[in-house]
Amino acid sequence: TRPGLSLRDDWLAARILPFIAFMIVGVLTSAVAVHPDLAYPAKTLVLLAALLFFRRQLSKLALSLDPVAIGAGLLVGLGWIVLQPPPGEAEAALMAGLATLGGTALAFWVVARLLGTMLLVPVVEELFFRGYLLARLDFGGTVGRIVAVTVSSALFAALHGRLIEAFVAGVIFALMMLRRNKLGDAIVAHVVANSVIAIWALLVGDLSRI
């Protein structure tokens, strides 16, 4: 932090700290919940608080409904759905846990999950992976740019489990940012992709896929 600059006005902190909060709450919910995603509302509240803390910095992001970014998001979302593997033990365990919730608790979980998946997580992940990490790894020139895209996308994929699909998604989101040098385009693409997946999951009645 520069002298006289408050934490909430530090653009570097705004790109990193929400992701750290995201990771910490993920570890904690994994430790205390029967299934980590049953505690997803806690993750949503933490991410919302982190982003609100840095709202002055985030308000400077140039978000626009760029058709290329929207199209890229649709491509990623549809590809993720088409290549979706069959439900496994983790999905079955989550659905079993959700079945034990009452109507109000289940509705709250669904709303929190949708808010987190469709909006908060894309913003937090793009701030870190494309807003910070991509630029931090770029040591200049074409080779530096390729290395930055590759490594940041590989780390993004490691976070999501489905390595190939997530790596390709990371590359597409990186290209969206580099295309106009606007982090907002990567965020829009990611929001669209996650929204497509979430809406599909609701339509097929599989809440574990949101």
Side-chain angles (χ1 to χ4, degrees), residues 66-154:
D66 176 62
V68 176
I70 293 173
L74 289 172
L75 179 65
V76 170
L78 292 175
W80 193 269
I81 292 169
V82 170
L83 299 174
Q84 190 83 254
E89 293 182 4
E91 289 79 12
L94 176 57
M95 292 299 288
L98 293 174
T100 65
L101 300 179
T104 301
L106 180 60
F108 179 71
W109 185 91
V110 170
V111 171
R113 179 81 167 193
L114 290 174
L115 176 60
T117 298
M118 297 170 68
L119 181 60
L120 302 180
V121 169
V123 173
V124 169
E125 290 185 345
E126 291 310 312
L127 283 171
F128 180 73
F129 284 103
R130 261 61 67 174
Y132 169 70
L133 200 57
L134 181 64
R136 187 70 179 84
L137 294 171
D138 189 350
F139 53 79
T142 301
V143 174
R145 183 65 55 84
I146 292 174
V147 169
V149 171
T150 301
V151 175
S152 63
S153 299

Side-chain angles (χ1 to χ4, degrees), residues 124-204:
V124 169
E125 290 185 345
E126 291 310 312
L127 283 171
F128 180 73
F129 284 103
R130 261 61 67 174
Y132 169 70
L133 200 57
L134 181 64
R136 187 70 179 84
L137 294 171
D138 189 350
F139 53 79
T142 301
V143 174
R145 183 65 55 84
I146 292 174
V147 169
V149 171
T150 301
V151 175
S152 63
S153 299
L155 293 173
F156 177 76
L159 183 66
H160 292 79
R162 292 169 58 184
L163 296 180
I164 297 177
E165 298 97 315
F167 177 80
V168 172
V171 170
I172 291 175
F173 295 150
L175 293 177
M176 287 303 99
M177 177 182 168
L178 296 174
R179 170 176 159 262
R180 300 196 301 172
N181 197 31
K182 287 187 176 182
L183 179 58
D185 287 348
I187 292 175
V188 168
H190 201 155
V191 167
V192 170
N194 281 23
S195 297
V196 167
I197 298 166
I199 292 171
W200 167 80
L202 286 176
L203 291 177
V204 300

Side-chain angles (χ1 to χ4, degrees), residues 30-113:
S30 297
V32 302
V34 176
H35 189 291
D37 283 341
L38 286 176
Y40 201 92
K43 183 179 294 186
T44 297
L45 291 175
V46 169
L47 294 186
L48 183 59
L51 293 177
L52 287 176
F53 181 81
F54 290 107
R55 61 188 178 277
R56 288 203 294 262
Q57 288 298 306
L58 301 183
S59 66
K60 300 175 184 178
L61 288 172
L63 295 176
S64 64
L65 298 179
D66 176 62
V68 176
I70 293 173
L74 289 172
L75 179 65
V76 170
L78 292 175
W80 193 269
I81 292 169
V82 170
L83 299 174
Q84 190 83 254
E89 293 182 4
E91 289 79 12
L94 176 57
M95 292 299 288
L98 293 174
T100 65
L101 300 179
T104 301
L106 180 60
F108 179 71
W109 185 91
V110 170
V111 171
R113 179 81 167 193

